[in-house]
Amino acid sequence: MVIDLLRSRVALEAEVLVLRQQINVLRRTRPKRPPFISIDRLILGGVCRLFPKMYDALAIVRPDTVIRWHRAGFRSYWRWKSRRRCGRPAVPLEIRRLIREMSIANPLWGAPRIHGELLKLGTEIG
């Protein structure tokens, strides 16, 4: 990008023309949909989101497709971020040993009694 700042406007226009011609050749030789991998979608979606004028330069994909990819990326991120953490919280090994020790030492105590004793000791478990 730094080198592009130092290049002349004509050279940049020539490069754009060459790139567009390559895209036209790609369209003619591969009439089917070109395969896109996740990184392609990420780059195209990110660049077009940062520079909205880039939508005009898109030729391989339609701007609607890039917007759909961008929205799908946000959806998957927030779905992952807000996923449910299933199950009970883990009980530390020390407390499990203490519970086992209490149940062996007092065979007539059930779970409610052991839970009550742990609460008296200041240990909160679910």
Side-chain angles (χ1 to χ4, degrees), residues 1-97:
M1 284 177 82
V2 176
I3 294 171
D4 287 342
L5 294 173
L6 302 175
R7 291 170 58 187
S8 69
R9 181 88 174 145
V10 176
L12 289 175
E13 289 295 330
E15 183 179 352
V16 168
L17 284 174
V18 168
L19 292 173
R20 286 189 180 171
Q21 182 60 32
Q22 289 177 5
I23 290 172
N24 289 334
V25 170
L26 176 66
R27 280 185 184 166
R28 281 194 306 263
T29 58
R30 292 188 51 104
K32 293 170 37 176
R33 291 174 46 180
F36 287 100
I37 57 174
S38 297
I39 193 72
D40 296 331
R41 294 177 179 151
L42 182 69
I43 290 170
L44 283 172
V47 169
C48 288
R49 183 54 88 174
L50 292 175
F51 304 104
K53 292 185 178 182
M54 291 298 290
Y55 286 119
D56 298 335
L58 288 175
I60 296 176
V61 293
R62 285 182 273 153
D64 300 338
T65 306
V66 176
I67 291 171
R68 190 178 71 234
W69 289 344
H70 187 72
R71 288 180 180 159
F74 268 105
R75 264 196 313 271
S76 65
Y77 170 76
W78 285 110
R79 189 178 302 125
W80 170 80
K81 189 81 170 157
S82 62
R83 68 188 186 278
R84 298 183 84 180
R85 308 288 192 288
C86 296
R88 291 184 183 165
V91 178
L93 183 62
E94 271 182 28
I95 295 175
R96 283 187 279 165
R97 285 184 182 155

Side-chain angles (χ1 to χ4, degrees), residues 111-126:
R113 175 77 188 262
I114 292 175
H115 184 254
E117 294 296 322
L118 289 173
L119 288 175
K120 287 179 189 174
L121 294 173
T123 304
E124 181 72 36
I125 58 170

